[in-house]
């Protein structure tokens, strides 16, 4: 069967920054799916090292994922508002808020990064928050790479198609991690995966990839029946042998309650889905004082580091999808086979 990216299986492992490295991507690629490496948080030296290891660990297609958000300013006034809200936590954990800077680590892809990855000719490059400049898209296509990106509405999907995407990831409301929305920040426009897939399939001339709430082989079967060319699955791999998920994050997953995830802007300034924890409960999930992406993460990163050192996840982003089945200690290969209903 000819799949979208010349893989054996119609499955993409979602890139998950903070809980994986090249090993998970390689394992899924070697199992017949499309493994993905989250690159947006990596310094150039780390990026080069991870891609080198990935390209040596598999001779199958793989995906490199980047952010392409439009950088915004972070003013002293915004910082004061945010720090005023967080002041009791700074006091509690003994953090000198004046030591916190104004620069965040999450940077959008640029020409220098493209030149760095070009020698590897990655088969697929995916984006979150839209698409980068046209010259970057064309550079990727010049080596035969496929360009894909996330859409959370039909309008975003149509925009991606018009601006050079080879396929669109229809990211439903159930998906874990950051929402990929970029035309509007209005969360009321977000839709469940099945509905979004149906709408995108009916409106686009390029393939649609379904993401969000896909946790079983039956889920895969049902979503492909709606016309999706491929599924993208992330949370199913959070506890697999190859994941680097922290002990505190693992504990939150294993102790989960039904419907315990929520969308929040607290950790980065942009809506993302994860398990509710102390700060989400105490401040609300969408505080108005949270600065724009990615500047909220500066203060939260400091709180997280100090809290995790005490063995607590009160300030940690515990990303996970709305539908989740714990698969603790199982190999990525076997999870992939289970999702695609293949006998192990």
């Amino acid at each position: 069967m000819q799949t979208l990216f010349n893989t054996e299986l119609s499955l993409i492992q979602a890139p998950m920054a903070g809980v994986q490295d090249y090993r998970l991507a390689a394992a899924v690629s070697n199992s017949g799916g499309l493994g993905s490496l989250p690159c947006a948080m990596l310094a150039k030296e780390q990026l080069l090292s991870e891609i080198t290891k990935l390209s040596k660990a598999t001779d199958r297609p793989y995906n490199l994922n980047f952010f392409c958000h439009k950088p915004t300013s972070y003013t002293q006034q915004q910082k004061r508002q945010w720090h005023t809200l967080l002041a009791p936590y700074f006091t509690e954990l003994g953090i000198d808020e004046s030591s916190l800077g104004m620069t965040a680590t999450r940077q959008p892809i640029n020409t220098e990064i493209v030149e760095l990855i070009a020698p590897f000719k990655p088969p697929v490059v995916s984006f979150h928050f839209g698409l980068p400049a046209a010259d970057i898209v064309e550079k990727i296509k010049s080596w035969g790479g496929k360009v894909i990106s996330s859409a959370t509405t039909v309008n975003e999907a149509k925009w991606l198609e018009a601006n050079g995407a080879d396929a669109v990831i229809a990211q439903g409301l159930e998906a874990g991690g950051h929402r990929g929305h970029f035309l509007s920040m209005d969360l009321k426009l977000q839709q469940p995966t099945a509905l979004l897939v149906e709408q995108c399939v009916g409106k686009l001339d390029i393939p649609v990839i379904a993401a969000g709430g896909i946790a079983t082989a039956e889920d895969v079967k049902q979503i492909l029946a709606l016309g999706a060319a491929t599924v993208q699955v992330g949370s199913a791999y959070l506890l697999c042998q190859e994941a680097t998920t922290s002990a505190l994050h693992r504990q939150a997953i294993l102790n989960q309650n039904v419907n315990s995830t929520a969308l929040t802007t607290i950790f980065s300034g942009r809506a993302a889905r994860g398990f509710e924890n102390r700060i989400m409960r105490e401040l609300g999930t969408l505080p108005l004082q949270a600065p724009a992406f990615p500047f909220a993460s500066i203060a939260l990163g400091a709180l997280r580091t100090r809290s995790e050192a005490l063995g607590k996840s009160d300030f940690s982003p515990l990303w996970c999808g709305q539908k989740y089945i714990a698969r603790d200690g199982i190999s990525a290969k076997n999870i992939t086979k289970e999702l695609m209903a293949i006998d192990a």
Side-chain angles (χ1 to χ4, degrees), residues 231-253:
V231 297
Q232 178 171 283
V233 181
S235 297
Y237 293 101
L238 278 171
L239 298 182
C240 74
Q241 293 172 359
E242 295 83 356
T244 61
T245 308
S246 71
L248 289 172
H249 198 161
R250 294 174 65 87
Q251 181 182 11
I253 294 169

Side-chain angles (χ1 to χ4, degrees), residues 9 37 56 68 79 119 139 173 227-228 258 336 341:
L9 304 173
L37 180 69
K56 289 180 179 178
C68 57
K79 182 180 180 180
K139 177 67 175 180
L173 192 56
V258 176
T336 302

Side-chain angles (χ1 to χ4, degrees), residues 16 19-26 36-38 50 242-244:
M16 299 182 291
V19 296
Q20 71 156 113
D21 57 20
Y22 77 95
R23 288 170 291 185
L24 176 54
S36 300
L37 180 69
E50 285 291 294
E242 295 83 356
T244 61

Side-chain angles (χ1 to χ4, degrees), residues 283-299:
L283 298 186
T285 56
L286 305 169
L288 296 178
Q289 297 92 331
F293 180 90
F295 299 110
S297 64
I298 300 171

Side-chain angles (χ1 to χ4, degrees), residues 104-127:
T105 56
R106 295 173 174 90
Q107 298 297 323
I109 193 171
N110 55 39
T111 302
E112 186 179 358
I113 293 174
V114 175
E115 294 300 329
L116 185 70
I117 69 174
F120 296 92
K121 297 182 178 179
V124 184
V125 180
S126 66
F127 295 101

Side-chain angles (χ1 to χ4, degrees), residues 201-269:
V201 167
K203 296 288 186 180
L204 303 184
D205 293 322
I206 58 175
V208 175
I209 301 160
I214 302 169
T216 67
E218 185 61 28
D219 293 334
V220 173
K221 180 180 179 181
Q222 290 177 356
I223 211 74
L224 292 178
L226 296 177
T230 300
V231 297
Q232 178 171 283
V233 181
S235 297
Y237 293 101
L238 278 171
L239 298 182
C240 74
Q241 293 172 359
E242 295 83 356
T244 61
T245 308
S246 71
L248 289 172
H249 198 161
R250 294 174 65 87
Q251 181 182 11
I253 294 169
L254 292 172
N255 294 341
Q256 66 171 315
N257 296 314
V258 176
N259 297 324
S260 59
T261 66
L263 291 177
T264 182
T265 55
I266 283 178
F267 299 103
S268 72

Side-chain angles (χ1 to χ4, degrees), residues 302-314:
L303 292 168
R304 172 187 183 177
T305 298
R306 192 66 59 88
S307 181
E308 288 184 352
L310 299 173
K312 299 179 180 180
S313 59
D314 292 349

